[in-house]
PDB file of all heavy atoms in Angstrom:
ATOM      1  N   PRO X1056       0.837  15.303 -73.432  1.00 94.00           N
ATOM      2  CA  PRO X1056      -0.185  14.337 -73.400  1.00 94.00           C
ATOM      3  C   PRO X1056      -1.107  14.345 -72.185  1.00 94.00           C
ATOM      4  O   PRO X1056      -2.281  13.790 -72.325  1.00 94.00           O
ATOM      5  CB  PRO X1056       0.664  13.038 -73.372  1.00 94.00           C
ATOM      6  CG  PRO X1056       2.049  13.366 -72.965  1.00 94.00           C
ATOM      7  CD  PRO X1056       2.201  14.899 -73.352  1.00 94.00           C
ATOM      8  N   GLU X1057      -0.684  15.046 -71.201  1.00 95.00           N
ATOM      9  CA  GLU X1057      -1.662  15.048 -69.889  1.00 95.00           C
ATOM     10  C   GLU X1057      -2.471  16.405 -69.994  1.00 95.00           C
ATOM     11  O   GLU X1057      -3.347  16.536 -69.056  1.00 95.00           O
ATOM     12  CB  GLU X1057      -0.719  15.113 -68.675  1.00 95.00           C
ATOM     13  CG  GLU X1057      -0.096  13.801 -68.473  1.00 95.00           C
ATOM     14  CD  GLU X1057       0.694  13.734 -67.210  1.00 95.00           C
ATOM     15  OE1 GLU X1057       0.340  14.366 -66.221  1.00 95.00           O
ATOM     16  OE2 GLU X1057       1.774  13.118 -67.173  1.00 95.00           O
ATOM     17  N   LEU X1058      -2.516  17.140 -70.993  1.00 96.00           N
ATOM     18  CA  LEU X1058      -3.468  18.296 -71.173  1.00 96.00           C
ATOM     19  C   LEU X1058      -4.882  17.838 -71.208  1.00 96.00           C
ATOM     20  O   LEU X1058      -5.162  16.874 -71.950  1.00 96.00           O
ATOM     21  CB  LEU X1058      -3.067  19.125 -72.430  1.00 96.00           C
ATOM     22  CG  LEU X1058      -3.979  20.289 -72.561  1.00 96.00           C
ATOM     23  CD1 LEU X1058      -3.856  21.357 -71.556  1.00 96.00           C
ATOM     24  CD2 LEU X1058      -3.638  21.034 -74.037  1.00 96.00           C
ATOM     25  N   THR X1059      -5.811  18.343 -70.464  1.00 91.00           N
ATOM     26  CA  THR X1059      -7.252  18.037 -70.448  1.00 91.00           C
ATOM     27  C   THR X1059      -7.738  18.599 -71.756  1.00 91.00           C
ATOM     28  O   THR X1059      -7.698  19.776 -72.120  1.00 91.00           O
ATOM     29  CB  THR X1059      -7.933  18.730 -69.264  1.00 91.00           C
ATOM     30  OG1 THR X1059      -7.436  18.154 -68.090  1.00 91.00           O
ATOM     31  CG2 THR X1059      -9.444  18.527 -69.405  1.00 91.00           C
ATOM     32  N   ARG X1060      -8.272  17.709 -72.599  1.00 95.00           N
ATOM     33  CA  ARG X1060      -8.835  18.004 -73.889  1.00 95.00           C
ATOM     34  C   ARG X1060     -10.362  17.733 -74.101  1.00 95.00           C
ATOM     35  O   ARG X1060     -10.762  17.647 -75.197  1.00 95.00           O
ATOM     36  CB  ARG X1060      -7.969  17.432 -75.028  1.00 95.00           C
ATOM     37  CG  ARG X1060      -6.585  17.848 -75.045  1.00 95.00           C
ATOM     38  CD  ARG X1060      -5.773  17.179 -76.210  1.00 95.00           C
ATOM     39  NE  ARG X1060      -4.522  17.711 -76.380  1.00 95.00           N
ATOM     40  CZ  ARG X1060      -3.467  17.360 -75.742  1.00 95.00           C
ATOM     41  NH1 ARG X1060      -3.494  16.373 -74.890  1.00 95.00           N
ATOM     42  NH2 ARG X1060      -2.284  17.911 -75.867  1.00 95.00           N
ATOM     43  N   ASP X1061     -11.008  17.455 -72.975  1.00 94.00           N
ATOM     44  CA  ASP X1061     -12.426  16.971 -73.128  1.00 94.00           C
ATOM     45  C   ASP X1061     -13.394  17.715 -72.230  1.00 94.00           C
ATOM     46  O   ASP X1061     -14.418  17.136 -71.722  1.00 94.00           O
ATOM     47  CB  ASP X1061     -12.540  15.462 -72.866  1.00 94.00           C
ATOM     48  CG  ASP X1061     -11.964  15.149 -71.548  1.00 94.00           C
ATOM     49  OD1 ASP X1061     -11.516  16.023 -70.783  1.00 94.00           O
ATOM     50  OD2 ASP X1061     -11.977  13.842 -71.167  1.00 94.00           O
ATOM     51  N   THR X1062     -13.053  18.889 -71.929  1.00 94.00           N
ATOM     52  CA  THR X1062     -13.941  19.824 -70.988  1.00 94.00           C
ATOM     53  C   THR X1062     -15.222  20.058 -71.806  1.00 94.00           C
ATOM     54  O   THR X1062     -15.226  20.511 -73.007  1.00 94.00           O
ATOM     55  CB  THR X1062     -13.332  21.068 -70.664  1.00 94.00           C
ATOM     56  OG1 THR X1062     -12.151  20.793 -69.829  1.00 94.00           O
ATOM     57  CG2 THR X1062     -14.200  22.038 -69.830  1.00 94.00           C
ATOM     58  N   PRO X1063     -16.429  19.716 -71.132  1.00 94.00           N
ATOM     59  CA  PRO X1063     -17.701  20.049 -71.877  1.00 94.00           C
ATOM     60  C   PRO X1063     -17.890  21.589 -72.233  1.00 94.00           C
ATOM     61  O   PRO X1063     -17.460  22.380 -71.377  1.00 94.00           O
ATOM     62  CB  PRO X1063     -18.817  19.520 -70.874  1.00 94.00           C
ATOM     63  CG  PRO X1063     -18.015  18.717 -69.875  1.00 94.00           C
ATOM     64  CD  PRO X1063     -16.683  19.229 -69.872  1.00 94.00           C
ATOM     65  N   PRO X1064     -18.522  21.907 -73.330  1.00 93.00           N
ATOM     66  CA  PRO X1064     -18.767  23.319 -73.677  1.00 93.00           C
ATOM     67  C   PRO X1064     -19.601  23.892 -72.626  1.00 93.00           C
ATOM     68  O   PRO X1064     -20.472  23.259 -72.012  1.00 93.00           O
ATOM     69  CB  PRO X1064     -19.415  23.245 -75.040  1.00 93.00           C
ATOM     70  CG  PRO X1064     -19.357  21.864 -75.511  1.00 93.00           C
ATOM     71  CD  PRO X1064     -18.987  20.955 -74.369  1.00 93.00           C
ATOM     72  N   ILE X1065     -19.461  25.227 -72.422  1.00 90.00           N
ATOM     73  CA  ILE X1065     -20.185  25.956 -71.392  1.00 90.00           C
ATOM     74  C   ILE X1065     -20.961  27.089 -72.153  1.00 90.00           C
ATOM     75  O   ILE X1065     -20.348  27.624 -73.143  1.00 90.00           O
ATOM     76  CB  ILE X1065     -19.187  26.459 -70.207  1.00 90.00           C
ATOM     77  CG1 ILE X1065     -20.104  27.061 -69.050  1.00 90.00           C
ATOM     78  CG2 ILE X1065     -18.183  27.530 -70.723  1.00 90.00           C
ATOM     79  CD1 ILE X1065     -19.221  27.349 -67.907  1.00 90.00           C
ATOM     80  N   LYS X1066     -22.110  27.543 -71.763  1.00 87.00           N
ATOM     81  CA  LYS X1066     -22.671  28.682 -72.283  1.00 87.00           C
ATOM     82  C   LYS X1066     -22.141  29.953 -71.664  1.00 87.00           C
ATOM     83  O   LYS X1066     -21.804  29.992 -70.511  1.00 87.00           O
ATOM     84  CB  LYS X1066     -24.256  28.591 -72.076  1.00 87.00           C
ATOM     85  CG  LYS X1066     -24.854  27.368 -72.738  1.00 87.00           C
ATOM     86  CD  LYS X1066     -24.988  27.600 -74.250  1.00 87.00           C
ATOM     87  CE  LYS X1066     -25.780  26.477 -74.907  1.00 87.00           C
ATOM     88  NZ  LYS X1066     -25.661  26.498 -76.294  1.00 87.00           N
ATOM     89  N   VAL X1067     -22.084  31.013 -72.454  1.00 84.00           N
ATOM     90  CA  VAL X1067     -21.572  32.178 -71.857  1.00 84.00           C
ATOM     91  C   VAL X1067     -22.362  32.708 -70.652  1.00 84.00           C
ATOM     92  O   VAL X1067     -21.744  33.228 -69.678  1.00 84.00           O
ATOM     93  CB  VAL X1067     -21.459  33.277 -72.991  1.00 84.00           C
ATOM     94  CG1 VAL X1067     -22.855  33.790 -73.396  1.00 84.00           C
ATOM     95  CG2 VAL X1067     -20.719  34.521 -72.447  1.00 84.00           C
ATOM     96  N   ARG X1068     -23.739  32.434 -70.675  1.00 80.00           N
ATOM     97  CA  ARG X1068     -24.601  32.875 -69.563  1.00 80.00           C
ATOM     98  C   ARG X1068     -23.965  32.214 -68.223  1.00 80.00           C
ATOM     99  O   ARG X1068     -24.001  32.875 -67.211  1.00 80.00           O
ATOM    100  CB  ARG X1068     -25.975  32.536 -69.808  1.00 80.00           C
ATOM    101  CG  ARG X1068     -26.720  33.529 -70.764  1.00 80.00           C
ATOM    102  CD  ARG X1068     -28.212  33.311 -70.703  1.00 80.00           C
ATOM    103  NE  ARG X1068     -28.600  31.954 -70.989  1.00 80.00           N
ATOM    104  CZ  ARG X1068     -28.680  31.354 -72.159  1.00 80.00           C
ATOM    105  NH1 ARG X1068     -28.331  32.137 -73.206  1.00 80.00           N
ATOM    106  NH2 ARG X1068     -28.965  30.209 -72.307  1.00 80.00           N
ATOM    107  N   SER X1069     -23.817  30.890 -68.338  1.00 79.00           N
ATOM    108  CA  SER X1069     -23.293  30.203 -67.066  1.00 79.00           C
ATOM    109  C   SER X1069     -22.008  30.698 -66.619  1.00 79.00           C
ATOM    110  O   SER X1069     -21.703  30.759 -65.433  1.00 79.00           O
ATOM    111  CB  SER X1069     -23.315  28.738 -67.212  1.00 79.00           C
ATOM    112  OG  SER X1069     -23.920  28.279 -68.482  1.00 79.00           O
ATOM    113  N   LEU X1070     -21.163  30.966 -67.660  1.00 78.00           N
ATOM    114  CA  LEU X1070     -19.844  31.370 -67.294  1.00 78.00           C
ATOM    115  C   LEU X1070     -19.828  32.727 -66.647  1.00 78.00           C
ATOM    116  O   LEU X1070     -19.226  32.949 -65.613  1.00 78.00           O
ATOM    117  CB  LEU X1070     -18.965  31.546 -68.561  1.00 78.00           C
ATOM    118  CG  LEU X1070     -17.567  31.975 -68.490  1.00 78.00           C
ATOM    119  CD1 LEU X1070     -16.859  30.912 -67.645  1.00 78.00           C
ATOM    120  CD2 LEU X1070     -16.927  32.229 -69.844  1.00 78.00           C
ATOM    121  N   LEU X1071     -20.686  33.648 -67.039  1.00 74.00           N
ATOM    122  CA  LEU X1071     -20.756  34.942 -66.435  1.00 74.00           C
ATOM    123  C   LEU X1071     -21.260  34.826 -65.051  1.00 74.00           C
ATOM    124  O   LEU X1071     -21.126  35.784 -64.158  1.00 74.00           O
ATOM    125  CB  LEU X1071     -21.492  35.845 -67.280  1.00 74.00           C
ATOM    126  CG  LEU X1071     -20.925  36.224 -68.611  1.00 74.00           C
ATOM    127  CD1 LEU X1071     -21.843  37.118 -69.457  1.00 74.00           C
ATOM    128  CD2 LEU X1071     -19.455  36.825 -68.576  1.00 74.00           C
ATOM    129  N   ALA X1072     -22.042  33.891 -64.783  1.00 68.00           N
ATOM    130  CA  ALA X1072     -22.632  33.671 -63.380  1.00 68.00           C
ATOM    131  C   ALA X1072     -21.516  33.114 -62.516  1.00 68.00           C
ATOM    132  O   ALA X1072     -21.731  33.024 -61.212  1.00 68.00           O
ATOM    133  CB  ALA X1072     -23.806  32.740 -63.452  1.00 68.00           C
ATOM    134  N   GLY X1073     -20.405  32.749 -62.938  1.00 68.00           N
ATOM    135  CA  GLY X1073     -19.374  32.349 -62.152  1.00 68.00           C
ATOM    136  C   GLY X1073     -18.920  30.915 -62.505  1.00 68.00           C
ATOM    137  O   GLY X1073     -19.688  30.110 -62.904  1.00 68.00           O
ATOM    138  N   GLY X1074     -17.658  30.713 -62.440  1.00 72.00           N
ATOM    139  CA  GLY X1074     -17.163  29.378 -62.859  1.00 72.00           C
ATOM    140  C   GLY X1074     -16.057  29.414 -63.779  1.00 72.00           C
ATOM    141  O   GLY X1074     -15.635  30.508 -64.184  1.00 72.00           O
ATOM    142  N   GLY X1075     -15.676  28.243 -64.228  1.00 86.00           N
ATOM    143  CA  GLY X1075     -14.562  28.187 -65.262  1.00 86.00           C
ATOM    144  C   GLY X1075     -13.155  27.962 -64.473  1.00 86.00           C
ATOM    145  O   GLY X1075     -13.082  28.260 -63.345  1.00 86.00           O
ATOM    146  N   ARG X1076     -12.201  27.541 -65.300  1.00 93.00           N
ATOM    147  CA  ARG X1076     -10.894  27.366 -64.877  1.00 93.00           C
ATOM    148  C   ARG X1076      -9.900  27.431 -65.973  1.00 93.00           C
ATOM    149  O   ARG X1076     -10.421  27.703 -67.049  1.00 93.00           O
ATOM    150  CB  ARG X1076     -10.775  25.829 -64.174  1.00 93.00           C
ATOM    151  CG  ARG X1076     -11.115  24.686 -65.196  1.00 93.00           C
ATOM    152  CD  ARG X1076     -10.954  23.315 -64.514  1.00 93.00           C
ATOM    153  NE  ARG X1076     -11.075  22.253 -65.690  1.00 93.00           N
ATOM    154  CZ  ARG X1076     -12.222  21.791 -65.956  1.00 93.00           C
ATOM    155  NH1 ARG X1076     -13.336  22.188 -65.428  1.00 93.00           N
ATOM    156  NH2 ARG X1076     -12.335  20.965 -66.916  1.00 93.00           N
ATOM    157  N   ASN X1077      -8.614  27.221 -65.613  1.00 96.00           N
ATOM    158  CA  ASN X1077      -7.667  27.124 -66.786  1.00 96.00           C
ATOM    159  C   ASN X1077      -7.186  25.736 -66.948  1.00 96.00           C
ATOM    160  O   ASN X1077      -6.448  25.264 -66.119  1.00 96.00           O
ATOM    161  CB  ASN X1077      -6.517  28.078 -66.486  1.00 96.00           C
ATOM    162  CG  ASN X1077      -5.620  28.281 -67.793  1.00 96.00           C
ATOM    163  OD1 ASN X1077      -5.449  27.334 -68.607  1.00 96.00           O
ATOM    164  ND2 ASN X1077      -4.884  29.422 -67.841  1.00 96.00           N
ATOM    165  N   ASP X1078      -7.491  25.038 -68.113  1.00 97.00           N
ATOM    166  CA  ASP X1078      -7.225  23.655 -68.270  1.00 97.00           C
ATOM    167  C   ASP X1078      -5.725  23.583 -68.406  1.00 97.00           C
ATOM    168  O   ASP X1078      -5.151  22.416 -68.355  1.00 97.00           O
ATOM    169  CB  ASP X1078      -7.882  23.022 -69.477  1.00 97.00           C
ATOM    170  CG  ASP X1078      -9.344  22.753 -69.190  1.00 97.00           C
ATOM    171  OD1 ASP X1078      -9.696  22.525 -68.015  1.00 97.00           O
ATOM    172  OD2 ASP X1078     -10.201  22.708 -70.097  1.00 97.00           O
ATOM    173  N   CYS X1079      -4.995  24.511 -68.809  1.00 97.00           N
ATOM    174  CA  CYS X1079      -3.562  24.590 -69.075  1.00 97.00           C
ATOM    175  C   CYS X1079      -2.666  24.665 -67.734  1.00 97.00           C
ATOM    176  O   CYS X1079      -1.588  24.186 -67.722  1.00 97.00           O
ATOM    177  CB  CYS X1079      -3.032  25.742 -69.995  1.00 97.00           C
ATOM    178  SG  CYS X1079      -3.782  25.613 -71.703  1.00 97.00           S
ATOM    179  N   GLN X1080      -3.362  24.960 -66.703  1.00 98.00           N
ATOM    180  CA  GLN X1080      -2.712  25.313 -65.431  1.00 98.00           C
ATOM    181  C   GLN X1080      -2.014  24.035 -64.926  1.00 98.00           C
ATOM    182  O   GLN X1080      -0.823  24.127 -64.539  1.00 98.00           O
ATOM    183  CB  GLN X1080      -3.683  25.923 -64.394  1.00 98.00           C
ATOM    184  CG  GLN X1080      -2.867  26.379 -63.144  1.00 98.00           C
ATOM    185  CD  GLN X1080      -3.688  27.328 -62.339  1.00 98.00           C
ATOM    186  OE1 GLN X1080      -4.530  28.160 -62.799  1.00 98.00           O
ATOM    187  NE2 GLN X1080      -3.839  27.019 -60.909  1.00 98.00           N
ATOM    188  N   PRO X1081      -2.683  22.838 -64.722  1.00 98.00           N
ATOM    189  CA  PRO X1081      -1.982  21.739 -64.146  1.00 98.00           C
ATOM    190  C   PRO X1081      -0.700  21.399 -64.938  1.00 98.00           C
ATOM    191  O   PRO X1081       0.270  20.981 -64.416  1.00 98.00           O
ATOM    192  CB  PRO X1081      -2.991  20.667 -64.206  1.00 98.00           C
ATOM    193  CG  PRO X1081      -4.316  21.322 -64.242  1.00 98.00           C
ATOM    194  CD  PRO X1081      -4.156  22.561 -65.099  1.00 98.00           C
ATOM    195  N   VAL X1082      -0.775  21.471 -66.357  1.00 98.00           N
ATOM    196  CA  VAL X1082       0.430  21.172 -67.149  1.00 98.00           C
ATOM    197  C   VAL X1082       1.533  22.118 -66.895  1.00 98.00           C
ATOM    198  O   VAL X1082       2.696  21.731 -66.668  1.00 98.00           O
ATOM    199  CB  VAL X1082       0.033  21.051 -68.656  1.00 98.00           C
ATOM    200  CG1 VAL X1082       1.256  21.038 -69.489  1.00 98.00           C
ATOM    201  CG2 VAL X1082      -0.976  20.108 -68.908  1.00 98.00           C
ATOM    202  N   VAL X1083       1.274  23.463 -66.884  1.00 97.00           N
ATOM    203  CA  VAL X1083       2.269  24.420 -66.661  1.00 97.00           C
ATOM    204  C   VAL X1083       2.754  24.232 -65.222  1.00 97.00           C
ATOM    205  O   VAL X1083       4.055  24.402 -65.109  1.00 97.00           O
ATOM    206  CB  VAL X1083       1.598  25.796 -66.891  1.00 97.00           C
ATOM    207  CG1 VAL X1083       2.756  26.964 -66.486  1.00 97.00           C
ATOM    208  CG2 VAL X1083       1.237  25.951 -68.336  1.00 97.00           C
ATOM    209  N   GLU X1084       1.943  24.098 -64.253  1.00 97.00           N
ATOM    210  CA  GLU X1084       2.514  23.899 -62.927  1.00 97.00           C
ATOM    211  C   GLU X1084       3.586  22.765 -62.760  1.00 97.00           C
ATOM    212  O   GLU X1084       4.577  22.795 -61.997  1.00 97.00           O
ATOM    213  CB  GLU X1084       1.344  23.572 -61.930  1.00 97.00           C
ATOM    214  CG  GLU X1084       0.518  24.800 -61.547  1.00 97.00           C
ATOM    215  CD  GLU X1084      -0.422  24.612 -60.386  1.00 97.00           C
ATOM    216  OE1 GLU X1084       0.029  24.301 -59.242  1.00 97.00           O
ATOM    217  OE2 GLU X1084      -1.615  24.523 -60.546  1.00 97.00           O
ATOM    218  N   ARG X1085       3.226  21.635 -63.476  1.00 97.00           N
ATOM    219  CA  ARG X1085       4.082  20.418 -63.471  1.00 97.00           C
ATOM    220  C   ARG X1085       5.357  20.742 -64.255  1.00 97.00           C
ATOM    221  O   ARG X1085       6.472  20.294 -63.795  1.00 97.00           O
ATOM    222  CB  ARG X1085       3.342  19.337 -64.027  1.00 97.00           C
ATOM    223  CG  ARG X1085       4.159  17.952 -64.074  1.00 97.00           C
ATOM    224  CD  ARG X1085       3.248  16.868 -64.525  1.00 97.00           C
ATOM    225  NE  ARG X1085       2.565  16.981 -65.686  1.00 97.00           N
ATOM    226  CZ  ARG X1085       2.852  17.070 -66.938  1.00 97.00           C
ATOM    227  NH1 ARG X1085       4.227  16.793 -67.196  1.00 97.00           N
ATOM    228  NH2 ARG X1085       2.121  17.240 -67.883  1.00 97.00           N
ATOM    229  N   ARG X1086       5.416  21.489 -65.249  1.00 97.00           N
ATOM    230  CA  ARG X1086       6.562  21.619 -66.153  1.00 97.00           C
ATOM    231  C   ARG X1086       7.368  22.843 -65.604  1.00 97.00           C
ATOM    232  O   ARG X1086       8.585  22.864 -65.994  1.00 97.00           O
ATOM    233  CB  ARG X1086       6.082  22.028 -67.562  1.00 97.00           C
ATOM    234  CG  ARG X1086       5.658  20.745 -68.416  1.00 97.00           C
ATOM    235  CD  ARG X1086       5.247  21.173 -69.824  1.00 97.00           C
ATOM    236  NE  ARG X1086       5.084  20.132 -70.720  1.00 97.00           N
ATOM    237  CZ  ARG X1086       6.044  19.658 -71.496  1.00 97.00           C
ATOM    238  NH1 ARG X1086       7.224  20.249 -71.394  1.00 97.00           N
ATOM    239  NH2 ARG X1086       5.827  18.598 -72.299  1.00 97.00           N
ATOM    240  N   TYR X1087       6.728  23.843 -65.054  1.00 97.00           N
ATOM    241  CA  TYR X1087       7.505  25.041 -64.593  1.00 97.00           C
ATOM    242  C   TYR X1087       7.292  25.326 -63.063  1.00 97.00           C
ATOM    243  O   TYR X1087       6.481  25.865 -62.658  1.00 97.00           O
ATOM    244  CB  TYR X1087       7.025  26.269 -65.384  1.00 97.00           C
ATOM    245  CG  TYR X1087       7.100  26.004 -66.958  1.00 97.00           C
ATOM    246  CD1 TYR X1087       6.125  25.519 -67.667  1.00 97.00           C
ATOM    247  CD2 TYR X1087       8.364  26.465 -67.535  1.00 97.00           C
ATOM    248  CE1 TYR X1087       6.293  25.371 -69.156  1.00 97.00           C
ATOM    249  CE2 TYR X1087       8.464  26.245 -68.954  1.00 97.00           C
ATOM    250  CZ  TYR X1087       7.419  25.729 -69.717  1.00 97.00           C
ATOM    251  OH  TYR X1087       7.609  25.541 -71.017  1.00 97.00           O
ATOM    252  N   PRO X1088       8.304  24.883 -62.318  1.00 98.00           N
ATOM    253  CA  PRO X1088       8.258  25.123 -60.814  1.00 98.00           C
ATOM    254  C   PRO X1088       8.159  26.583 -60.493  1.00 98.00           C
ATOM    255  O   PRO X1088       7.513  26.932 -59.496  1.00 98.00           O
ATOM    256  CB  PRO X1088       9.563  24.550 -60.316  1.00 98.00           C
ATOM    257  CG  PRO X1088      10.438  24.244 -61.406  1.00 98.00           C
ATOM    258  CD  PRO X1088       9.636  24.072 -62.685  1.00 98.00           C
TER     259      PRO X1088
END
Side-chain angles (χ1 to χ4, degrees):
E1057 291 184 34
L1058 177 67
T1059 297
R1060 296 183 173 88
D1061 57 359
T1062 295
I1065 188 171
K1066 297 286 187 193
V1067 66
R1068 283 191 306 278
S1069 350
L1070 181 61
L1071 297 178
R1076 60 178 185 272
N1077 186 334
D1078 284 336
C1079 297
Q1080 186 168 316
V1082 172
V1083 175
E1084 285 191 66
R1085 180 170 47 79
R1086 283 178 167 269
Y1087 299 92

